[in-house]
Amino acid sequence: GEKDILLGATNRVENVSKLSPEADYWVGIEGGLEEINGDMLAFAWIVVKSKDGKYGKGRSPGFLLPKKVIELIKQGKELGEADDIVFGHTNSKQASGAVGILTGDVLTRTTLYEPAIILALIPFKKPELY
């Protein structure tokens, strides 16, 4: 759910900051799913950390998954695996992802995350407000 996805992004940013302590900024991205009234929403949290210990957070837009994909996820499949089964793709998770498949690549995993990264950078752009 939402809190666990944000925690995952936070854990990622903390881990990468330890691996590359010389960087000015680190970014953690965690995608996940939230079930709401029988629907399943896919989205991601982005956490940015600066070398002075300041954080920014942003969330991507969410999109509804098709019923066949939801059924496979409820059977224990990961989203990428479920997409490959339903849509006949191979390794779609490493390509444009579920959003790319569903939008005909009008949006991809990368372009879906771009607004969230920009939003996560607001505290660094307007430090006097944060």
Side-chain angles (χ1 to χ4, degrees), residues 49-66:
K49 179 182 177 182
S50 66
K51 64 181 172 185
D52 64 358
K54 182 176 276 192
Y55 290 85
K57 299 173 189 172
R59 187 181 177 282
S60 77
F63 61 96
L64 294 175
L65 296 175

Side-chain angles (χ1 to χ4, degrees), residues 29-101:
I29 301 174
E30 183 73 21
L33 307 171
E34 180 82 25
E35 191 169 1
I36 303 170
N37 299 327
D39 289 326
M40 197 168 282
L41 190 70
F43 59 92
W45 269 101
I46 312 306
V47 176
V48 178
K49 179 182 177 182
S50 66
K51 64 181 172 185
D52 64 358
K54 182 176 276 192
Y55 290 85
K57 299 173 189 172
R59 187 181 177 282
S60 77
F63 61 96
L64 294 175
L65 296 175
K67 291 183 187 330
K68 288 182 181 180
V69 172
I70 294 170
E71 289 170 11
L72 291 170
I73 290 169
K74 288 185 175 184
Q75 293 172 18
K77 306 281 188 208
E78 289 189 0
L79 176 57
E81 184 181 5
D83 287 337
D84 288 348
I85 293 167
V86 171
F87 300 109
H89 287 81
T90 302
N91 205 20
S92 60
K93 180 179 179 177
Q94 301 303 320
S96 60
V99 72
I101 293 169

Side-chain angles (χ1 to χ4, degrees), residues 4-12 28-32 43-47 60 113:
D4 289 334
I5 298 165
L6 178 55
L7 178 61
T10 303
N11 288 340
R12 286 181 185 276
I29 301 174
E30 183 73 21
F43 59 92
W45 269 101
I46 312 306
V47 176
S60 77
Y113 295 166

